[in-house]
Amino acid sequence: MHYTQLVTRVVFQASHVPGTIDTVKIDDFSVREGACAAPVSCDFESGQCTWVNVQKEDGHQWVLSHGGSHGPPMDHTTQTSDGWFLLSSALHQSQHSVAQVVSEWIQQKDTPSCLTFWYHIGSSDSGTLRLFTRSDPVEETLMFHSNSSGSSWTRFSQSIGMSKPFQLLIEAESNKKGFIAIDDISLTEGLCPENVTRGFVGCSFENGTCDWEDISVGQVQWVRKRNDTEDSGPPVDNTLGTEQGWYMGLEADRGEEMSPAVMQSPFMKEASSTCTLHFYYNMYGEDSELNVLLKKGSRITPLWWLAGNSGDLWQHSNVLIGRIPQDFTVFFEASTNFNKPGYVAVDDIDFTNCSFPEPQAWCSESAFMCNNSVCVDPNHVCDFSDDCGDQSDEFDCEKQGVVERCNFEQGLCSWANSDVDTPGGEWTRHKGEEGWPNHGPPRDHTQNFAAGHYVTPGSHLTEKGQTAEVLSNTLFPSFNCTVRFFYFSMSDALNHLTVQYRTLKSGIDDKMLWIRDTSHSYSWRRAKVTFSSSVISKIAFRYELGATQRGLVALDDISFSKECIFDPDNSKLPETLPTSSPHTSSNTPSVTTVTMNPCQDNEFFCRQSAGKVCIPVTLQCDYHPDCPEGQDEAGCGPCTFENDQCLWSDASDGPAKWQRQKASNNTEPPVDHTMQTGFYMTVNLSHGSTQTEAKLLSPPLQPSSPYCQLLFHFHISAESTGSLRVLMQQAEGGEAILWSRSHNTVSHWTLAHMPIGLFQQPNKVWFSSISKATGPISSTGDHVVAVDDISFINCETSYEPPALSSYGCTFEDGLCVWVQGAEDELNWHSGSGPTETPNTGPAGDHTTGTGKYLYIESSHPSQKENTAQLKSLLLPPGGQKGYCFTFWYHMFGATVGSLKMFLKTADSLDKTLVWQQSGSQGDEWLLAQSHVTLQRVHQVILEATVGGEAGDIAIDDISLIHGPCPDSDLCDFEEGSCNWQQAISDDFDWIRHSGSTLNPNTGPDVDHTTNTPTGHYYYLPSSMDDQAGQKALISSPLYPESKGSCVQLWYHMYGEGIGTLNIYQQSEDGKEVLIFSQAGDQGRLWRFAQASLLPRIQPYRIVVEGVKAGPTMEGDMAFDDVQLTDAQCPPHGFCDFESSFCNWSNLGGGVNQGDWLLGAGATPNPNTGPAVDHTTNSSKGHYIYVDSSVGEWGDMSYLVSDVFQPSSRGHCLTFWYHMYGNHIGTLNVFINDRKMHAGGNEEGYLKWTKTGNKGDQWLQDSVSIKHEEPFWFVFVYQRGMSTGGDVALDDITINPSSCYSEPPTPPPNNTSALSAGLPVGLTLLTGIIIFIVLFMLNRKRNKLTIMNNEVTPENSVFDMSNYQQCDTQLNSESDFSFFNKLYDPSPHTTEALSNA
């Protein structure tokens, strides 16, 4: 059978209406296979669909991009780096900028539609994303805005109902950093599904009330509202943060006496013990009140309450609902006075962790299996909390060995009042309904309602220092005894609730095992303590009044683990320490048989060792095993988890639990770190969990040395949406984050070294795993965090650190005593020879040239901003003279990031930046040194950051030597003044300073030497009391006349009121000559200056003078890093790049997408770039170039000059350029000034441009400039399509004159030419004669004026003592420009000098 293919045509027909002038236009016609996409919908995998950029003045555009291209690492559609999305990047933005993209016109039918899209915002300061509906060009309605997405793709969904055609407009407002991305936009018919939260019935109220119902009986009702007036509701909701968002608020007739409004949730089935209610509230007005109530059956119990004005803002709160074995509802009850301004509103109600754990096929060896096959931590068995969901973990507790426990429902059990607390302060038993609101919470923990019982401290405590205690029965010597209990604490931060371990009746030797933190909560919270004892003891709960006002405090459900052995006779504690060990009573049950302790009271019995081994008790838990089997360190912190958990215990509130796991092919990771087939601790998430924390708590850690470090191995799965942190719990109740990591590990196990430092009282650390999942967990493998092989080093209190020299390293045989950081994304690699990435990194090590060094690999898979840290062990205090820390570094490549040195203290964990360098520093090893004088135990951290794919950074040869760093010809002012001296008879002094200067909008923020706020420089402050012409002078020590040909320094002159900086060469007798001068604002950066020294026959000084411009707060100037060199300064205004960039610099600051590099010989890419430089015409000479193998098509590299002052003669820029290759881009020359730059224009006015291949040759060109404002030159190279587009520059000259004179007008005939030439010739001749006469007169007067830095020939020797100075002022209308032209200032007399 033969088929005939039908041919289809599309015809556009336009009809003209007579008498009209309207036009019909067609644009952007396309035909694609398949059905048309729904309006607006786009996944951006095949382009922008119907979304079009809106051109904005001074704005930027949304661009199609894929993973890793300056945006998120992957798209949302495919979840790969190859997928596409729409991106607004701030990479090239120097100021706030807006990008807008608009949809096609949408005409809805009678039914509403659901708009959904996904967005990803780089960080909280990346800017703001907004969504508008637009019915005409001027009528826009804000639907949504956000400045954060939690560092992941986040979903937005909203129903839209519009009666007239409209467009959607998505706007990104850039904040000069970061990015904003959108993906997977869809518009479907029908309302969006109600925003029902995970677990139980929560609600965001955006599409209804989600079956939450107003059941008020009075004049006040709960009403779904939005954009209310100031008196009756907030103007914006919490969900969207806009006037379009919905919430629940109060509405009523006016009146003072009104019953509260009540809103009821749908009925919910039983809840787990971890079920938590979250909500946002907004309460304004003194008479406002809000209560949250729980109703089960006919009983109503308060959960949460608040009254009064809480500020006109949305605030988050939560309360534990807890175990409820029946159906229940939640009420929100509110009231306010409608005759006064005020309101009550709630939004975003959510329930988390309310479902029960899922049954498991099997449980780990250490877990308890419930009757319903749920796995529970054995530490949670028989603790009065139904963790199984069927109560089976609370059955037959005596068979579980848990005998001593009390829920206070029938009385105080065996708990008794103390004889050593305040009389009348006894703990008292209450029902919730009786104790609340004056004595305790409205519900107990056991039964979770108002009829249940708990105990509270006595009500007779009225004065600070008074105490109430409740004591346990007496315990026999016990090992690893654990006490579990629940406590309630609210508005009681100034008082103290503690658990004490008591061995004497008087309590004078009590040891504190636990102290309540100061947090405020509406929930019962679980706590536990573990201890061991070799004598009889009691546990005391102690409440001490720290203020006259007390809050609500209660205890409930106290239980002891099976390891706790009680004395059935409840023997009294001794008055003093016994002389022999207590004997076990004959009535002791057989299940609690106690091994007799043959050791003395001051000895520890090594129970597991053969024979009767006793060691001094002081050796127990001293971080060093002394028993043959090491049991003196059992339960003290170190653990491999091979035999048990070593008293590390889960302390989680939610369903995520730490469990001991045996490695297998079915686990992640499949191996443990210790034995490959052994055990480790891991955290698994239950289904439906959200934002929950799982804690793994250490046993009490004994006092340590200041050099103590915690070592552990950890694993974070690639799919994990969580983080791992290590925190320290201190005896005083505080906590500190010691370590944190949120990205996955590459290998199965990664080692972490973490300073703990000195602690003098027992404390604890814990591992905290936090899930950041935004939806139900699909499987237990979604979030896997594991820990293994926890150990402690250098923690013995007797530990002494080794000699400083032992911390040095050449890296020939590994890292020595240095360790890789574990919070970062990358590791340092050991290398020899070149690195893997071409045209970056060193060719060999620094030590021998053939040895090893450390480096970071910047190419794939490394990403921009990834970091690698190298850390020392803890170092001793610097001592009286400190020590010199030196290392060699290599930073070469087109996209080099930064290298930083930090000092981190062990006690407070303060981290101080003391040195940093960024960008390419040339293809050579450079020395860095820092004099460390920190008088605390500390750690040195070297941190390298990836700047791009061609940015390898290397380090080598670390050394530490006692005393300050050796002197050099460079004066960096880090150790003091370098013997520079202040002048006495001037008006001000230069000030040695670090960090920012005091005045805003002027002065440096960092020094030049270390590029940190801790480095030092000299600066001259400005004030409104300054007068024009006032001066400050500072002079160097005397230099011998034979030393130095060139002086170099760095200066900082930023601010609208900057005066003049002058540098003089002063002879020993006080006569001086100006050799450098700069005036006015030079931009917010350190700039380089150099000046040739005049020949001399006397010793001389360098004098730096600051001259004030007048009253101003924006005139701070500074200088740093002064150095004399024996090499001649290059001619001013000229740079041949033979040794440096001279006064040219890469722009940096995140604007450059590839640096200009210093090169010699052929560039690294074939068939492009020069083979020789222009200056020497050899492969040994140097030039600068852009490496075209780095970056993408269109990337730009900026090279900027110094600032030049305007000149009536103009300026001439002359340069040689080389543009050879098949993919040459565009080379431009711009001039820029502060006005353009402040407006966000990095380039300025285009003055010269060349594009494409110009052949393998050096070409010369010139650009004449005449500008009325201070300006600078900018060379910009825009990269071509591919490698093969290296562009080079050499021999740049800038002269203070026009490049060429105007061409003469052609003469009409020879006669007129002669008549015109004669007067011109005579004029020139007259000028020459006058010049000669003036020159001779000037020589006779023995006066010297030097212009344009013309250096006197070396074979001419002058005695500066014969020079005299003229009273000559620099006129603002003169032709003096930036070129350090020298003038004769007002004369300086020889001044007395004082120490700086």
Side-chain angles (χ1 to χ4, degrees), residues 1300-1306:
Y1300 28 75
S1301 58
E1302 294 296 325
T1305 305

Side-chain angles (χ1 to χ4, degrees), residues 52 65 411 776 814 821 903 1186 1228 1297 1374:
V52 179
S65 186
L903 297 180
V1186 175
N1228 298 317
S1297 61
S1374 73

